[in-house]
Amino acid sequence: MKTEPRLLMPSICRLSAVCGIALYGMFSSDVALADQGLFDGWEVGGYVRAHISMNLQDPYLSNPATNGKPRGDYKNDVSMARGSARLNLFRDFGKSQVNLTVRGVREYETKYLRDLQRTADEYAATDLFSHRSRSSVRLMDDVYNELDVRELWWQVEVASGSTLKLGKQQVVWGETDFFQSMDVIHGYDFRWRSFLEAENEELRKPLWMLNFNQRVDAWDGSMQLIYIPGRTNPGYTRGNNYDVEGGRWANTPNRGITFASAPFGADVPYNFSHPGARQRDDSFGMRWTATAGEWGYSLAAFRGPSQVPVINPNPNSPLGVRDSVTGRTFLGAWKGRYMSDPGSTVGELIFPYITVFGGSVNRYLVGIDAVFSAEASYIPHATYNVGVLAGEAGGCAFFPGFCGIVDRPVIKTMVRLDKQVDLTSFLKTSRPSFLSVQLFNTTITKFDRADEIVNLAGFSGRTKRNSALITGILAMNYSNDRINPTLALGSDLTYGGGFVIPSVEFAFGNHWRVKAEADIFFNRRSQNRALTGFNDTNLFGYFAGNNQLAVRTTYQF
Amino acid sequence: MKIIVSAVILLIAGIAGTAIAANLKPGDTIQASNLDARQTDTFEGHKVSDLLTDRMQTLIRNEGLVITLAASKPVVLGKDYMAATKANAGKAKYNPDTRLVEGWVAGMPFPDVTADDPHAADKLIWNGYYAQPIKNIQDYPRYAYLLISEKSGLERRQVWRFLRYYMKGRLGTDTVVEGDGSILSKTLMYATYPNDIRGLGLFVQRYDSPKLEDSWAYLKSVRRTRRLSGGTWMDPIGGSDQLNDDIEIFNAHPTWYASYRLLGKRWILATPHSTAVTWDSKASGNAEFPVVDLADAPHWNPKDSWEPREVWVIEAITPPGHPYSKKVLYMDTQFPRFYMAEAYDRKGDFWKWMYYGLKTIPTGDGDVGMISATGFTIDYQRRHATIFILGDDARLNTQGIHADDVNLQQLEKVAR
């Protein structure tokens, strides 16, 4: 496994091409620039920000030297000390607009992070097939620190109602918060901060693309066409990044375990070249959005890599494979192809290309003074790992989910109500508060329990035909919005567990913003030890031990 | 002898009385230090005490409001506006059963309201709703909200861009109605400052019916458009002191309020010709917004020129659930625009004072229209204020803007 570069600066060629096109567009625009130079008229904004978070629990970190016993007590340790800066430059030339957003991040390596890296190195050194002495991933350089052109686009009105937006950008579809149903174009990086980020533009992985929008005024709508060239967007910019590097947001009990440099040589690297998951292939999408009477609606289709990776098992794994004692047969490599080194890996992480069809609706309901939203997506061939048992219990391979990959039709639905609730008398808020409740459901339509579909490879949590999560947000405001508490709640109605996130943001003048939050997780079951004792652990079990207190201080300009 | 003494005393008293009741000149000020002395003074034939509402007297006496007098000038209204009002006079009818207006085309639906009309107040409110003396497009490249506290002065500011397109009652064009006639106006606005709201966009569709507005927000931080509740018309705008229906004093469909009552007609000091510099971009600190007395506590008083204007005084009774119990509105008798208002809480206590400085500007098609150069909403209970400041690049009837440039599809495009 080669280490993926964390420096996401586009190549000189890519950057030059877009800059050239943008400059050509600017100067060929019909807007006279005679009275304004190239350097005049830019809107400049951005921030300098510090994040700091502290463990409120003792997160489990295994010790390779003691056969996986906890390495230490990390309760109250600083888990993140992160400084970041973002600069936005925007200019409107009339018929065209140009935007550049750059973000730089540096983290301080806390003692906790040092121990995570040390553990990853020690586990990597247990490799049975080589003499490596450390993990292939340096958490600080490869996961946390970055310098990134977040956006660089040129938008031009090519004809009346026709807009072309070219360059690195972010495009979001659908309605749902927290979850991804029609929000399928981009992946998210959940490694430095897991999924509960309200301002999710900071986690989204922007892509170079061509984004064309045609207004259709007669039907009160617009058609959007998306083309994402695979060759322009490296594989590591696609799909979600879950923390498989063993960092602070690695699923319990995998902190300190790098999948690509796993214990005993059970390596699971990324593979972006699998024929069914070749990230150099192009992606396409189209969406129609419109209003019809009281309703707003959208219809969309997208072809591209799935956001959630699956593990393609090595049929010639040096640690061995077999049929599970449950009767679950080993399926072999997906589509008969395994492309990583068969002699030193047990599987490879791939992002299969999928097609997603979906739509959304919204409308204001006068009777209950609330906004109703719904979203549904259909994936004819969603991919899942199968095999509930781990090797120690007679499963196909060392880890659960390594019996192979199946694809099944899946429907994801979401319904949500947003309502302004007047708590001014009850909680003395300065204005009505925003309440949002949503229910998210996933259904595997051709479901057979005997398939032994798992929710996540590496865990024995068996997927059910239907699963649902419910979330709620209550956002309050005090003192002319200078003090803004929010309470976010969520519960996994199928597999148990949930979260509670109380937070408060203070606004000081035009420039300073301070946000403090506690992230509290609950679970029905979690896995206590690394590499053994695989049990029915599901989503919120992955967050066991991750309760944290986080403070974000921002100076914006 | 006694008679002569009495005559001399009366003469002296008369002279003294004449000296006290002076004729004030443009540029003279009325402030706490001279308020009592100037009660009987006159300005352009009006006694000062008659030109000041009770609330203005209190604000001058206790809250540092200083009024600088200016010679009154006729307000010039747009040619197309006046022509439409004249051409369509008599077509609009007020239906007391539905509280709606039938037959309005363009211009003022009720140009000749009289005080003895039992529905005078409703008709005046409808005049304001249908026929502001502007043209068809309000195009404001930038306006600011200043958030001010008595203790610390200017706390924060927000900068927005605003574009409103009127679909009905269009002036100076044969196409008086665009679309199917159901929509009165469409508005697009988005924030450009500070950074945490930069890119936040709003699209609002107002109907020519009691139906609540449809609105959507584009949230840049999540890159997504979200439908908003139509029931927020009586809620505060963000963290401001202004309710949605406080925009330009009165910003609600007339039927959403419970009732209206005409309290009378009188003269007040108002600002139909704002002369203050609202926003000096080259200055910094308190000098950036010369129209506001930011330097002196309570930091929210306007500094503009005031002239005598005749106004209608209308009491607007709010519906249940509204934060106010009532608003008292002051509307010019020549055109349906409000200069100031007083808002009262549910207990009937005075809560907020609103004041707008108006100004007439040339439109993009060679006519004239009226804008709000500034708008003050001051919360005297919480001791906090929100002040609207319009940039000097505001335009009306900008050429080249079409209805399709102001719609939901544009929301994501225009937001940063």
Side-chain angles (χ1 to χ4, degrees):
Chain A
M1 160 80 181
K2 63 183 178 189
T3 302
E4 294 301 341
R6 187 64 188 147
L7 189 71
L8 297 183
M9 273 290 198
S11 70
I12 295 297
C13 291
R14 242 182 347 253
L15 195 59
S16 302
V18 172
C19 288
I21 293 169
L23 287 170
Y24 170 78
M26 285 150 49
F27 285 109
S28 62
S29 164
D30 60 354
V31 174
L33 297 174
D35 57 342
Q36 278 200 319
L38 181 60
F39 299 104
D40 299 326
W42 289 87
E43 289 179 17
V44 180
Y47 63 70
V48 179
R49 176 172 285 173
H51 280 92
I52 189 160
S53 65
M54 184 184 81
N55 295 325
L56 293 178
Q57 294 175 298
D58 175 20
Y60 169 78
L61 175 56
S62 65
N63 187 346
T66 58
N67 199 26
K69 288 181 180 175
R71 173 151 226 151
D73 185 351
Y74 298 98
K75 187 177 181 181
N76 300 328
D77 277 18
V78 175
S79 56
M80 175 171 65
R82 180 181 177 93
S84 57
R86 194 172 81 174
L87 176 68
N88 304 320
L89 298 174
F90 174 87
R91 185 166 173 186
D92 190 343
F93 291 88
K95 291 279 186 187
S96 71
Q97 297 80 36
V98 171
N99 186 84
L100 170 66
T101 303
V102 180
R103 186 179 71 184
V105 178
R106 299 295 291 181
E107 284 207 18
Y108 170 75
E109 188 174 28
T110 65
K111 176 183 176 299
Y112 177 54
L113 293 184
R114 276 200 303 276
D115 280 5
L116 289 170
Q117 183 69 61
R118 185 156 59 112
T119 303
D121 289 342
E122 290 172 2
Y123 266 129
T126 64
D127 185 11
L128 302 173
F129 314 109
S130 75
H131 300 290
R132 69 188 176 199
S133 61
R134 63 178 206 171
S135 167
S136 60
V137 172
R138 314 315 298 165
L139 288 172
M140 297 305 295
D141 296 333
D142 300 333
V143 178
Y144 301 132
N145 297 334
E146 68 173 22
L147 177 61
D148 190 6
V149 173
R150 297 284 295 166
E151 294 182 56
L152 175 57
W153 49 257
W154 170 54
Q155 176 175 265
V156 62
E157 189 170 351
V158 292
S160 179
S162 305
T163 305
L164 177 66
K165 193 171 181 180
L166 189 64
K168 196 174 189 184
Q169 54 193 289
Q170 299 186 28
V171 177
V172 181
W173 289 352
E175 293 268 356
T176 178
D177 301 320
F178 296 135
F179 308 107
Q180 292 168 281
S181 177
M182 279 313 298
D183 178 14
V184 288
I185 296 175
H186 301 272
Y188 292 82
D189 187 347
F190 294 123
R191 297 176 299 179
W192 70 271
R193 170 90 164 91
S194 202
F195 73 101
L196 302 165
E197 173 63 50
E199 296 163 13
N200 62 13
E201 66 168 342
E202 299 288 359
L203 273 59
R204 195 172 295 117
K205 295 160 67 176
L207 294 169
W208 297 88
M209 68 173 79
L210 185 155
N211 175 2
F212 178 75
N213 212 301
Q214 176 62 54
R215 238 171 47 204
V216 183
D217 297 322
W219 294 349
D220 206 10
S222 65
M223 175 63 80
Q224 183 179 32
L225 302 173
I226 300 283
Y227 168 62
I228 304 170
R231 291 173 184 274
T232 316
N233 294 283
Y236 60 83
T237 63
R238 312 302 299 273
N240 292 341
N241 284 115
Y242 300 100
D243 192 344
V244 295
E245 281 79 15
R248 60 178 169 254
W249 285 104
N251 294 333
T252 300
N254 294 334
R255 294 183 201 88
I257 295 177
T258 306
F259 277 35
S261 307
F264 318 120
D267 295 358
V268 183
Y270 282 105
N271 175 15
F272 299 126
S273 303
H274 190 282
R278 189 164 37 224
Q279 306 301 299
R280 289 174 72 85
D281 290 348
D282 299 337
S283 302
F284 308 89
M286 59 189 297
R287 181 179 69 152
W288 167 254
T289 53
T291 53
E294 303 294 319
W295 293 89
Y297 71 94
S298 73
L299 296 168
F302 183 77
R303 172 76 183 165
S306 66
Q307 289 156 313
V308 179
V310 287
I311 289 176
N312 185 29
N314 179 2
N316 302 305
S317 169
L319 297 182
V321 292
R322 63 187 176 209
D323 292 338
S324 173
V325 296
T326 61
R328 168 73 265 177
T329 54
F330 179 73
L331 295 174
W334 191 52
K335 296 184 182 293
R337 296 291 299 274
Y338 185 81
M339 303 182 69
S340 298
D341 182 357
S344 66
T345 62
V346 298
E348 56 188 9
L349 284 158
I350 60 173
F351 295 90
Y353 267 55
I354 59 171
T355 304
V356 184
F357 303 96
S360 63
V361 294
N362 60 66
R363 74 167 289 175
Y364 173 60
L365 302 173
V366 180
I368 57 172
D369 184 23
V371 173
F372 168 77
S373 309
E375 180 176 345
S377 63
Y378 173 63
I379 307 171
H381 301 284
T383 48
Y384 287 94
N385 280 113
V386 293
V388 167
L389 295 184
E392 65 182 11
C396 293
F398 187 90
F399 297 106
F402 276 53
C403 288
I405 296 171
V406 297
D407 71 75
R408 295 288 179 268
V410 166
I411 296 173
K412 297 178 182 178
T413 57
M414 183 280 296
V415 291
R416 183 181 66 206
L417 275 181
D418 294 344
K419 184 172 174 58
Q420 298 295 128
V421 290
D422 190 358
L423 302 174
T424 51
S425 301
F426 181 54
L427 294 176
K428 306 299 179 192
T429 55
S430 57
R431 62 183 173 106
S433 304
F434 175 74
L435 175 67
S436 178
V437 178
Q438 72 169 354
L439 181 68
F440 191 86
N441 183 272
T442 303
T443 301
I444 302 172
T445 57
K446 289 185 180 175
F447 180 82
D448 184 348
R449 194 172 187 277
D451 283 338
E452 296 190 14
I453 293 174
V454 295
N455 285 319
L456 187 63
F459 293 89
S460 288
R462 183 195 290 260
T463 300
K464 297 180 179 176
R465 180 192 301 271
N466 289 295
S467 56
L469 294 109
I470 189 168
T471 61
I473 304 170
L474 177 65
M476 297 160 280
N477 308 93
Y478 291 89
S479 187
N480 291 92
D481 286 13
R482 284 179 298 168
I483 304 171
N484 305 298
T486 299
L487 180 64
L489 303 167
S491 177
D492 186 332
L493 302 176
T494 306
Y495 304 109
F499 63 87
V500 177
I501 304 177
S503 68
V504 58
E505 182 169 49
F506 300 91
F508 301 103
N510 296 323
H511 301 297
W512 290 97
R513 302 288 182 268
V514 177
K515 183 178 183 182
E517 69 176 52
D519 302 311
I520 312 294
F521 301 96
F522 304 93
N523 66 77
R524 184 182 292 168
R525 184 167 295 165
S526 65
Q527 190 177 325
N528 295 326
R529 295 284 286 271
L531 309 174
T532 187
F534 298 93
N535 59 13
D536 184 22
T537 292
N538 292 291
L539 178 63
F540 288 104
Y542 311 151
F543 290 90
N546 259 113
N547 290 2
Q548 65 159 359
L549 183 66
V551 178
R552 188 182 78 179
T553 304
T554 303
Y555 178 85
Q556 58 180 11
F557 53 91
Chain B
M1 185 62 184
K2 198 173 179 180
I3 294 171
I4 294 172
V5 170
S6 299
V8 170
I9 291 170
L10 283 172
L11 181 62
I12 293 169
I15 292 168
T18 304
I20 292 168
N23 288 318
L24 299 181
K25 301 183 299 296
D28 286 345
T29 59
I30 302 170
Q31 51 195 305
S33 61
N34 64 14
L35 178 63
D36 290 332
R38 293 202 156 163
Q39 291 284 347
T40 55
D41 291 351
T42 59
F43 182 62
E44 296 190 348
H46 302 279
K47 213 159 78 170
V48 166
S49 60
D50 294 340
L51 289 173
L52 300 173
T53 66
D54 291 346
R55 188 56 50 195
M56 291 169 76
Q57 297 252 9
T58 302
L59 299 182
I60 293 169
R61 191 181 305 282
N62 302 328
E63 299 285 347
L65 177 63
V66 176
I67 287 185
T68 302
L69 299 172
S72 61
K73 293 183 290 186
V75 173
V76 179
L77 301 172
K79 294 187 190 74
D80 290 334
Y81 178 75
M82 296 306 290
T85 299
K86 188 176 176 184
N88 296 300
K91 292 181 182 172
K93 305 292 180 199
Y94 176 71
N95 183 337
D97 297 329
T98 61
R99 300 178 64 211
L100 297 171
V101 170
E102 296 152 5
W104 171 69
V105 180
M108 267 188 281
F110 306 107
D112 301 313
V113 176
T114 56
D116 57 356
D117 185 334
H119 304 299
D122 296 84
K123 290 179 177 178
L124 291 168
I125 293 292
W126 273 106
N127 277 350
Y129 184 75
Y130 269 148
Q132 297 279 314
I134 53 178
K135 297 210 73 172
N136 309 325
I137 299 166
Q138 289 171 282
D139 178 13
Y140 303 160
R142 60 172 188 153
Y143 68 92
Y145 278 121
L146 308 184
L147 301 172
I148 296 170
S149 82
E150 182 179 31
K151 286 181 182 170
S152 55
L154 180 57
E155 288 174 342
R156 284 174 288 155
R157 80 169 73 162
Q158 296 179 356
V159 183
W160 291 74
R161 196 247 191 274
F162 178 94
L163 183 62
R164 173 170 288 168
Y165 192 94
Y166 286 88
M167 301 289 284
K168 297 191 76 173
R170 297 175 57 76
L171 304 172
T173 172
D174 294 336
T175 314
V176 179
V177 178
E178 289 193 22
D180 61 7
S182 64
I183 299 171
L184 185 63
S185 67
K186 302 192 296 181
T187 305
L188 198 59
M189 61 190 115
Y190 55 88
T192 58
Y193 184 88
N195 191 63
D196 55 347
I197 63 165
R198 185 174 179 270
L200 168 66
L202 295 167
F203 173 69
V204 180
Q205 201 153 266
R206 171 172 289 180
Y207 296 96
D208 185 17
S209 70
K211 180 182 171 184
L212 294 173
E213 293 173 349
D214 275 323
S215 51
W216 293 261
Y218 176 71
L219 308 172
K220 191 203 168 192
S221 58
V222 294
R223 309 298 169 104
R224 190 177 265 160
T225 299
R226 191 152 179 160
R227 189 82 170 251
L228 300 179
S229 166
T232 59
W233 69 270
M234 61 174 84
D235 292 343
I237 304 169
S240 79
D241 301 280
Q242 195 177 40
L243 308 186
N244 277 297
D245 74 303
D246 288 339
I247 295 174
E248 296 191 308
I249 305 287
F250 193 86
N251 184 50
H253 191 274
T255 60
W256 295 347
Y257 268 60
S259 61
Y260 305 97
R261 189 160 66 102
L262 185 65
L263 300 181
K265 190 190 265 192
R266 61 169 291 174
W267 286 79
I268 62 167
L269 288 169
T271 308
H273 300 99
S274 176
T275 55
V277 175
T278 54
W279 193 344
D280 182 357
S281 301
K282 292 177 181 170
S284 60
N286 291 337
E288 190 173 351
F289 304 102
V291 73
V292 189
D293 185 7
L294 287 167
D296 301 311
H299 310 290
W300 54 54
N301 281 314
K303 293 197 297 184
D304 212 328
S305 49
W306 303 65
E307 60 189 88
R309 293 296 299 181
E310 188 182 39
V311 294
W312 296 106
V313 186
I314 304 163
E315 185 180 71
I317 304 299
T318 59
H322 197 290
Y324 306 153
S325 58
K326 66 176 181 179
K327 271 164 127 175
V328 176
L329 313 163
Y330 297 85
M331 174 193 275
D332 197 291
T333 56
Q334 292 184 13
F335 55 89
R337 205 143 172 148
F338 302 98
Y339 291 114
M340 61 183 77
E342 296 135 20
Y344 294 83
D345 67 15
R346 280 280 158 196
K347 289 184 285 188
D349 295 331
F350 172 64
W351 187 359
K352 296 178 190 173
W353 184 66
M354 299 165 214
Y355 154 83
Y356 273 68
L358 309 180
K359 191 171 158 173
T360 301
I361 63 169
T363 60
D365 57 352
D367 203 349
V368 295
M370 189 169 280
I371 58 170
S372 296
T374 57
F376 292 64
T377 303
I378 305 171
D379 183 334
Y380 286 95
Q381 292 185 1
R382 291 179 178 156
R383 310 299 296 176
H384 202 272
T386 298
I387 299 175
F388 165 85
I389 302 282
L390 188 59
D392 57 9
D393 49 0
R395 301 179 292 246
L396 295 173
N397 249 35
T398 310
Q399 301 297 290
I401 294 178
H402 306 287
D404 295 331
D405 296 323
V406 189
N407 61 21
L408 181 58
Q409 285 69 43
Q410 293 293 94
L411 190 57
E412 290 185 26
K413 183 185 166 190
V414 297
R416 274 78 175 133

